[in-house]
Amino acid sequence: VSQSRYLMDLFQNPLNSTSTLFEVKELVDVHLQLLKRTKFPDQYKSTLAKIHQAQKDSLQQFNSQIATTTLLDITLRKGGYSLLMCRHYIDLPLSNVMDQCWYQLGGIIQFTNDLYDIYKDVHEGIYTYPNTSTNFEDLKSSFEQLTNTWKTTIDTLPFSKSQKVKLLIQLSIIPAFGYIALDNLSKLQDQKGVLPKFSEVLRKDLIIDMEKTKNRFKLIRHAYHIAKSN
């Protein structure tokens, strides 16, 4: 908690920092540079505060009693606001529909990271939406719903139809990684679709090697279907 308060104070009052640590000095410098460069400092500060809150809330992921709805909410906010911060790195106009697109894609990225990190997270005592899931179809449905919501945000963007189609094709590779992980998990379910206790699953059965040619072909196939189904 003290570290969390320290970070928040650091971002709210960066000029008051007296730390001599290189990492802290660099963090403050980057923060101040972004504040100077962004055309929307209030939105930048708001997004930063939401990232900080999501990280604070993620401490709940060490609690075995955490609700699945809470896990999903933390997952989406951690990824969503982190990616949304990227809009301040590049010169983009202020747009709520564009922000929603960034946010939803960030949620997909965090969800996907959790799918790939099941083995590591389980053995580090971190509870995530994927590693606490007991039913494969429910897990897959949650990811599909998130992907479809993101695709809907692309449809609302103020661009031409051809531009939106091109954007979807270029970005479809991102959720495709999630579907690769789901393909792997589908092999672990029993006849009723129940997933095993991940703490009892061997590492080799949860780790996905994207260097393998077959996985790269699967990635392209999934990306194609994501873009085509729009």
Side-chain angles (χ1 to χ4, degrees), residues 47 106 130 137 149 158 220 228:
T47 303
E137 287 302 325
T149 299
I220 295 171
K228 184 181 179 183

Side-chain angles (χ1 to χ4, degrees), residues 50-65:
K50 289 172 181 175
I51 292 172
H52 181 67
Q53 185 61 54
Q55 291 298 332
K56 283 174 60 179
D57 293 342
S58 70
L59 292 174
Q60 299 176 50
Q61 292 183 255
F62 289 99
N63 178 5
S64 62
Q65 302 303 311

Side-chain angles (χ1 to χ4, degrees), residues 136-155:
F136 174 73
E137 287 302 325
D138 289 345
L139 178 62
K140 183 179 179 181
S141 177
S142 294
F143 188 79
E144 287 180 335
Q145 183 177 350
L146 187 58
T147 301
N148 289 333
T149 299
W150 165 67
K151 289 167 65 176
T152 299
T153 65
I154 290 183
D155 287 336

Side-chain angles (χ1 to χ4, degrees), residues 80-92:
Y81 289 122
S82 294
L83 191 63
L84 184 56
M85 181 60 76
C86 293
R87 73 170 323 284
H88 299 287
Y89 304 156
I90 51 183
D91 188 15
L92 287 175

Side-chain angles (χ1 to χ4, degrees), residues 109-125:
I109 292 172
Q110 184 61 53
F111 198 124
T112 300
N113 286 344
D114 290 344
L115 284 169
Y116 278 79
D117 289 344
I118 287 177
Y119 183 85
K120 177 182 73 68
D121 289 338
V122 163
H123 290 276
E124 290 181 0

